[in-house]
Amino acid sequence: MTTELWARLQFAFTISFHYIYPPLSIGLGIILVIMEGMYLKTGNKMYEVMTKFWVKIFALTFAMGVATGIVMEFEFGTNWATYSRFVGDIFGSALAAEGIFAFFLESGFLAILLFGWNRVGKKTHFFATCMVSLGSMMSAVWIVVANSWQQTPAGYRLVNNGGVIRAEITDFWGMVFNPSSVERLSHTLGGAFLAGAFLVISVSAYYLIKKRHEEIAKAGLKIALLVALFASLFQLFTGHSSASGVAVNQPAKLAAMEAHYDSLSPGDLYMFGWVNETDKKVYGIAIPGMLSFLIHGDPTVPIRGLDSFPKDEIPPVNVTFQTYHLMVAIGFSLIGLTLISIFLWWRGKLFTSVLWLKILVVSVLLPQIANQIGWYTAEIGRQPWIVYGLLKTSDGLSKTVTSEHIIFSLILFTLIYAGLFVVFLYLLDKKIKHGPEAKTKELDFSENLRMTE
Amino acid sequence: MEFSFDINTIWFVLIGVLLAGYGILDGFDLGVGSLHLLTKSDLDRRILLNSIGPVWDGNEVWLVTGGGALFAAFPDVYATAFSGFYIPFMLLLFMLIFRAISIEVRSKEEGKRWRAFWDRAFSIASMAIAMLIGVTIGNIIQGVPIGKDKELYITVFEMLNPYALLVGMTTLAAFMMHGSIYLAMKTDGELQKQVRGWINNSTIFFVICYATATMATLIYIPHMVTPFRAHPEFFLLAFLNMMAIANIPRETQRGKDFFAFLSSSAAILSLMALFAVGLFPNFLVSSISPEYNLTIYNAASSETTLEIMLTMAAFGIPFVIAYTISIYWVFRGKVKLDNMSY
């Protein structure tokens, strides 16, 4: 394997592992705001117990997100130094903004959210919870802006800087609101809300099956279902606008998503299929002309196909196709799951139909998978470019880093992340099995008295 | 050298401030981690852990933001240093991950072996991070083989030279001293007595390392001394640094732990300032030829970016300072464990 492949493999591995956690933090963050808001509004202790329970889960996902997130910020420099020199002006600014506007906000107020229950008033605590949630979303804003610039560069010019070409900002807001920022950000946030909502749905369903903490489980399930309803329908719109944006800004990616080769014919929309990249054929079931209809409102308009791109500017087609279709399929199943659950709730059957609750328990995996493979579509579909149309991935590597270096770090990452994941699942499982506590547990340290005296 | 206070200089200073902020803030919690195994009982260890519980994560953000700011303001420095120091930076990342997870999970299980394992992981990772930061600083002070292509080729063995190890040791000692002083504010009773012993020992350890490192710098690394010869007024920094260090035992003996903490913070800040003055206007000094030094001009972003970022910093930093102060205010006083503690 080449250095490029090792570097890509390491980045893919570390970013995929990292991306398990931030969507959970963003989604749980907004749910915590609702839960604690309910507590403040109703004064019902049950909401307080519920909030404290979910804060503990949140703390765990947040810690994992932070621990694996620092890696990402370092990796641009360690493995993609040439890319970093090329985009520092722009990408670096977004990362720095994330630090100043998101991370400080998040980590500062997180301290109060986690440890401040007895140190600040209820309203201040609620304010801290809101700020943590806001911070987690701000972080998504800046990182998606940075990534969107890689997809659809804008507000820059290319400058020769001492013999090396690089991109420099000409218009900051043009860079921030590049053509794909808004739709990609909203789609990312929607996915994160779903990840958080379905975690709460899953755990609540588990308690209902086990007939434990039923009051909290029912209330939690209702809150999460409403969030899921909003988010899953929201994803329909943001998904559609994202795909329409891709059609305009990254035609090669759109063609790969539907494996559309022939530029003279209208685009079909596949339900599922398999792409044979050598004879450029798709075996599967498609709605003829539907892609053209969705994008141009007319099923007969031809769509630019992969045949119109030079051979070395075509992304891997089948992977892009498969990840995209699976994401869409999961998106629709999440809408279905949510609507059926709400229907059952309305009929008063949701909390007792064990079979359906069991389905909800496993449903937690769906948004996770969709979030991961949705990003695979976005990132693999952008290949061979690291900055679309400007810099190829193979030209972005660090010149001083060899395959041996990367193999060394990749082995260590694999070992550490495997261990981390086991610890994460173990503790998550333990916290869930332990469940919310109705009353504050007395400390079993007699020595602790001396501390408070 | 002629000195003009332009936007590149402002960014050099700002990045220095962010990294010094990291040194002061994460410095004490890395110090607490390095001292962690000196306590034996589970309760004491939990008190140590919870003394940094609400703040360690925010402290690390200073490093993350410093890294982001370096990327944005001086992309060539970011790219050259991060790729050139690949192995040590990867090890730094692993240690940061290990440490974060140790703090998070250590008290989530009752088992003795579980806690013993994570206690060790926490402490070893804290020491390793301090050493790795110090070794990297040591290499930057000495100068590193950067070529015409702005790329840095160095092996791990070249990095682990005696001078760099000495700076690594000095950094560890400084953090231990700083951490033990922080702990004096956060503990009381028997544990506090024990902590006061650590302050003494670690201050002596630090002074020895620091004096040796300073001598080595004066003898072997002339380019760090030149700026002081040209601008003798910067000697004031060295003087302030000495005063701050000397003030530590004085305040500790009077029981004014907070002032002792301010003193050791001032000592770290002035050390960073001395380091920055010695380097200026370079970020990375090339040991091959001074022509290849990465300076605040040849490694910078466009002026537009530096200006935009300065506006952002002007908006953001007051908020950052406000949160930081209010968090430390909310969690002031001795550690109290409750059911949300680590």
Side-chain angles (χ1 to χ4, degrees):
Chain A
M1 262 169 65
T2 60
T3 312
E4 182 196 348
L5 273 176
W6 284 113
R8 285 178 63 186
L9 187 63
Q10 174 167 301
F11 199 89
F13 176 65
T14 50
I15 190 72
S16 300
F17 188 72
H18 172 60
Y19 203 65
I20 297 171
Y21 310 101
L24 285 174
S25 299
I26 294 171
L28 280 180
I30 193 87
I31 291 174
L32 283 176
V33 168
I34 300 173
M35 287 175 174
E36 199 174 350
M38 293 293 286
Y39 170 52
L40 236 64
K41 191 164 167 253
T42 64
N44 185 344
K45 269 290 211 192
M46 183 268 292
Y47 286 112
E48 189 194 7
V49 177
M50 181 179 2
T51 310
K52 282 191 173 171
F53 169 70
W54 284 105
V55 162
K56 286 190 173 182
I57 308 273
F58 177 86
L60 187 61
T61 61
F62 191 90
M64 294 290 289
V66 171
T68 55
I70 300 179
V71 174
M72 306 322 306
E73 198 206 35
F74 273 57
E75 243 175 347
F76 300 114
T78 54
N79 292 82
W80 304 95
T82 312
Y83 164 77
S84 300
R85 292 182 211 277
F86 182 79
V87 297
D89 232 70
I90 294 158
F91 198 88
S93 309
L95 281 193
E98 190 183 16
I100 294 175
F101 296 118
F103 292 151
F104 276 115
L105 186 70
E106 244 179 330
S107 65
F109 285 103
L110 181 76
I112 294 181
L113 173 61
L114 297 185
F115 305 105
W117 294 96
N118 305 322
R119 289 187 177 252
V120 297
K122 281 181 194 170
K123 282 186 182 157
T124 315
H125 191 275
F126 178 62
F127 177 73
T129 310
C130 295
M131 289 301 112
V132 170
S133 169
L134 179 70
S136 67
M137 287 192 255
M138 289 295 281
S139 163
V141 168
W142 289 106
I143 202 66
V144 174
V145 161
N147 181 273
S148 296
W149 188 85
Q150 280 179 273
Q151 309 280 352
T152 52
Y156 71 98
R157 61 177 176 178
L158 294 180
V159 175
N160 186 332
N161 176 48
V164 180
I165 304 287
R166 72 173 185 188
E168 291 185 355
I169 294 185
T170 51
D171 169 10
F172 178 72
W173 294 110
M175 181 277 279
V176 171
F177 292 103
N178 64 66
S180 65
S181 285
V182 175
E183 58 215 24
R184 297 180 78 246
L185 174 66
S186 45
H187 202 54
T188 305
L189 284 177
F193 296 154
L194 285 170
F198 273 87
L199 180 65
V200 178
I201 289 173
S202 163
V203 173
S204 304
Y206 167 80
Y207 287 147
L208 288 170
I209 294 170
K210 296 277 170 191
K211 302 204 181 304
R212 292 172 55 198
H213 319 293
E214 285 178 90
E215 195 195 352
I216 287 177
K218 283 177 188 170
L221 188 53
K222 287 178 191 171
I223 291 172
L225 275 176
L226 292 177
V227 173
L229 177 67
F230 159 76
S232 60
L233 294 175
F234 182 65
Q235 289 303 69
L236 259 189
F237 294 100
T238 58
H240 175 68
S241 59
S242 293
S244 311
V246 171
V248 178
N249 301 310
Q250 294 174 288
K253 189 197 278 187
L254 182 88
M257 276 154 57
E258 286 296 347
H260 180 67
Y261 282 97
D262 182 3
S263 295
L264 298 175
S265 67
D268 304 338
L269 191 77
Y270 280 88
M271 300 286 96
F272 53 85
W274 191 262
V275 188
N276 185 329
E277 289 180 50
T278 35
D279 34 335
K280 301 179 179 177
K281 278 208 172 89
V282 193
Y283 304 93
I285 294 180
I287 308 175
M290 192 63 183
L291 182 64
S292 298
F293 177 74
L294 282 176
I295 286 163
H296 299 291
D298 176 353
T300 58
V301 180
I303 295 235
R304 190 174 169 192
L306 290 165
D307 59 359
S308 67
F309 294 92
K311 246 198 169 135
D312 59 352
E313 289 181 15
I314 294 176
V317 185
N318 196 28
V319 186
T320 313
F321 179 97
Q322 297 304 341
T323 53
Y324 173 66
H325 282 84
L326 188 53
M327 174 191 72
V328 173
I330 291 178
F332 279 101
S333 2
L334 290 175
I335 296 177
L337 280 169
T338 313
L339 288 178
I340 294 172
S341 300
I342 287 180
F343 175 75
L344 289 172
W345 171 15
W346 175 54
R347 304 303 305 243
K349 288 180 185 157
L350 178 62
F351 304 130
T352 48
S353 39
V354 176
L355 180 67
W356 187 252
L357 290 173
K358 280 185 179 163
I359 293 173
L360 291 184
V361 170
V362 291
S363 70
V364 64
L365 294 174
L366 293 176
Q368 283 292 342
I369 297 170
N371 282 332
Q372 292 281 341
I373 57 177
W375 274 104
Y376 291 175
T377 310
E379 298 292 281
I380 296 171
R382 191 194 58 223
Q383 301 302 326
W385 303 100
I386 194 165
V387 180
Y388 194 73
L390 296 182
L391 185 72
K392 288 209 168 150
T393 310
S394 51
D395 296 328
L397 291 164
S398 295
K399 291 184 177 132
T400 59
V401 175
T402 63
S403 299
E404 287 74 23
H405 282 117
I406 306 176
I407 292 167
F408 164 79
S409 53
L410 186 56
I411 290 173
L412 278 173
F413 274 125
T414 312
L415 292 175
I416 291 176
Y417 282 5
L420 270 190
F421 196 56
V422 171
V423 170
F424 170 73
L425 289 180
Y426 171 74
L427 289 174
L428 186 66
D429 180 65
K430 192 181 150 173
K431 276 175 204 257
I432 291 169
K433 291 210 169 116
H434 181 265
E437 302 173 281
K439 64 172 195 278
T440 311
K441 201 176 90 188
E442 291 303 320
L443 282 167
D444 33 14
F445 299 102
S446 48
E447 302 106 302
N448 195 45
L449 288 173
R450 118 184 121 75
M451 299 300 305
T452 45
E453 268 163 19
Chain B
M1 105 227 65
E2 265 320 294
F3 177 84
S4 65
F5 210 71
D6 52 19
I7 196 160
N8 298 54
T9 311
I10 293 174
W11 271 104
F12 180 81
V13 173
L14 276 179
I15 285 168
V17 167
L18 283 168
L19 295 179
Y22 175 72
I24 290 169
L25 294 173
D26 215 28
F28 75 72
D29 72 50
L30 289 167
V32 169
S34 307
L35 298 161
H36 187 69
L37 295 178
L38 292 177
T39 51
K40 297 298 171 206
S41 81
D42 186 60
L43 177 68
D44 285 349
R45 287 189 175 177
R46 283 195 64 195
I47 290 170
L48 258 59
L49 206 55
N50 283 286
S51 73
I52 61 167
V55 295
W56 68 272
D57 174 44
N59 295 344
E60 235 164 60
V61 172
W62 290 78
L63 176 68
V64 174
T65 305
L70 188 66
F71 191 175
F74 303 100
D76 278 321
V77 178
Y78 170 81
T80 301
F82 281 51
S83 59
F85 296 136
Y86 188 84
I87 300 283
F89 276 33
M90 283 294 157
L91 292 175
L92 180 67
L93 286 175
F94 297 135
M95 292 303 158
L96 286 169
I97 295 174
F98 248 120
R99 185 167 180 275
I101 298 306
S102 308
I103 296 174
E104 193 55 39
V105 308
R106 186 253 176 217
S107 299
K108 300 271 172 355
E109 274 288 312
E110 297 291 336
K112 270 215 164 92
R113 284 170 63 189
W114 172 278
R115 290 193 171 183
F117 174 80
W118 291 111
D119 279 336
R120 281 192 199 119
F122 170 54
S123 196
I124 292 169
S126 301
M127 288 189 257
I129 292 166
M131 282 295 290
L132 283 164
I133 291 172
V135 166
T136 309
I137 293 177
N139 277 282
I140 293 174
I141 294 176
Q142 285 170 296
V144 280
I146 294 173
K148 197 180 173 190
D149 55 358
K150 293 187 175 173
E151 300 288 353
L152 160 59
Y153 295 90
I154 189 168
T155 65
V156 179
F157 298 104
E158 286 167 320
M159 281 191 73
L160 293 177
N161 58 72
Y163 179 81
L165 289 171
L166 181 60
V167 178
M169 202 62 111
T170 311
T171 310
L172 175 61
F175 288 174
M176 282 172 130
M177 172 183 82
H178 195 47
S180 58
I181 297 169
Y182 175 78
L183 278 175
M185 295 192 292
K186 289 285 166 185
T187 55
D188 54 12
E190 279 304 306
L191 182 58
Q192 197 188 33
K193 270 188 204 150
Q194 199 185 349
V195 165
R196 289 194 192 284
W198 300 345
I199 298 183
N200 253 332
N201 293 342
S202 56
T203 309
I204 295 168
F205 176 36
F206 168 67
V207 170
I208 294 171
C209 291
Y210 179 38
T212 320
T214 306
M215 276 191 277
T217 311
L218 294 177
I219 296 169
Y220 298 111
I221 306 171
H223 67 248
M224 286 300 278
V225 185
T226 329
F228 293 93
R229 209 167 282 157
H231 293 268
E233 63 271 20
F234 283 120
F235 251 100
L236 206 58
L237 282 172
F239 177 70
L240 283 177
N241 182 246
M242 284 299 155
M243 293 301 283
I245 296 169
N247 194 38
I248 293 168
R250 180 170 157 267
E251 299 290 359
T252 311
Q253 260 158 24
R254 296 197 306 169
K256 305 257 182 195
D257 296 319
F258 178 64
F259 289 100
F261 183 73
L262 286 185
S263 291
S264 72
S265 304
I268 293 177
L269 184 66
S270 47
L271 268 179
M272 278 298 286
L274 286 169
F275 171 49
V277 169
L279 275 183
F280 189 85
N282 304 306
F283 260 103
L284 292 171
V285 176
S286 168
S287 56
I288 297 173
S289 158
E291 276 176 68
Y292 306 150
N293 289 355
L294 294 188
T295 71
I296 62 170
Y297 300 107
N298 72 9
S301 282
S302 68
E303 211 168 306
T304 325
T305 294
L306 294 179
E307 279 162 10
I308 292 167
M309 296 261 304
L310 197 60
T311 320
M312 281 206 277
F315 267 110
I317 288 178
F319 282 101
V320 170
I321 292 172
Y323 318 138
T324 310
I325 292 175
S326 42
I327 299 309
Y328 279 85
W329 178 250
V330 167
F331 293 98
R332 70 193 180 279
K334 309 293 178 193
V335 178
K336 290 186 189 114
L337 300 180
D338 63 31
N339 66 331
M340 297 300 270
S341 298
Y342 285 124

